[in-house]
Amino acid sequence: MENTPIFFADGENPKMIEAFKKAQETFKYFWRELSWEYRRIIPGLDVACVKLAFTQEIDGETVVEHMWINDVNFDGETIYGVLVNQPSELTNVSNGDEVQIPINQISDWLFAIGGKTYGAFTIQAMRSQMSDDEREDHDEAWGLDFGDFNDILVVNEQKEKPENLIEHPMSKNMKESLIDFVKNNPEEVTAQDELGYTFLHREAVAGNLTSVEVLLESGADKNAKTASGKTALDFAKQLNWEHLIPIL
């Protein structure tokens, strides 16, 4: 994965370019949270969306619009979702379209737990330019507490439990039930979906160390490749999940 963001519009504010860069570097935490959200019986997130750069050639110029998607899915390379904005200039996409966009076109991500936001780098860059009153109005319009624009959190309880930056607490807590699941459904360890992804690939993309360890102990093939030729280790390296690299 190229870590350089796709060309963003010329004259883009340097604060925004910095925000895009941080969003790309930390997107893996968004996906890790969402990978667990999809397994929860009771939803834990108030909102989860990703902002992407959509482009189109119009009259010989590349027009870029940054727009939000929800119902997000991610396979380690491509982001899938449904566009929730109506473009102002682009005509090649519209609100409600299902889209798929490469990871290097991320310009922001945001999730909220109990009304408190994580990520939202471009929003925080904009909030940093506002007066206190404007910030209050802005947050009220979103119905969320964006907190301190100089102190952006990327994982839940990051300050209280810095170990959450390494591994999601649910990955540890679900260890026993995963061991039972694999024991009762051994075929799940070797099964590959239509794109060649195994359970191990998906857990590696989400950075779930304990799950990866359980799968390896249960006989998962770390050399299994997706249809595009990627191993679980390739994804761990691309997404910079440093804690997974030694065991894969």
Side-chain angles (χ1 to χ4, degrees), residues 44-74:
L45 302 182
D46 308 319
V47 60
C49 49
V50 177
K51 194 196 260 185
L52 298 163
F54 290 82
T55 58
Q56 186 180 357
E57 294 294 321
I58 299 176
D59 300 332
E61 282 191 33
T62 301
V63 178
V64 180
E65 279 192 55
H66 300 277
M67 294 184 284
W68 292 97
I69 65 167
N70 63 12
D71 295 335
V72 178
N73 221 312
F74 177 58

Side-chain angles (χ1 to χ4, degrees), residues 28 89 144 146 152 163 185 197 201 205 211:
K28 61 185 183 180
E89 292 179 76
L144 294 171
F146 284 86
I152 301 175
E163 66 272 17
N185 303 274
Y197 284 73
H201 281 116
V205 169
S211 307

Side-chain angles (χ1 to χ4, degrees), residues 28 31-32 34-36 38-39 73-76 181 187-209 211-212 215 220-221 224 226 230-233 235-236 239 241 244 248:
K28 61 185 183 180
W31 178 247
R32 185 184 77 174
L34 211 53
S35 83
W36 286 109
Y38 289 146
R39 302 178 220 191
N73 221 312
F74 177 58
D75 63 10
F181 174 78
E187 70 288 352
E188 292 290 336
V189 178
T190 51
Q192 289 184 272
D193 67 15
E194 64 283 3
L195 294 173
Y197 284 73
T198 61
F199 202 163
L200 183 67
H201 281 116
R202 290 191 291 273
E203 294 304 302
V205 169
N208 294 323
L209 176 66
S211 307
V212 165
L215 290 169
D221 177 9
T226 62
K230 297 278 169 70
T231 63
L233 177 61
F235 287 123
L239 294 162
W241 285 125
L244 295 186
L248 287 169

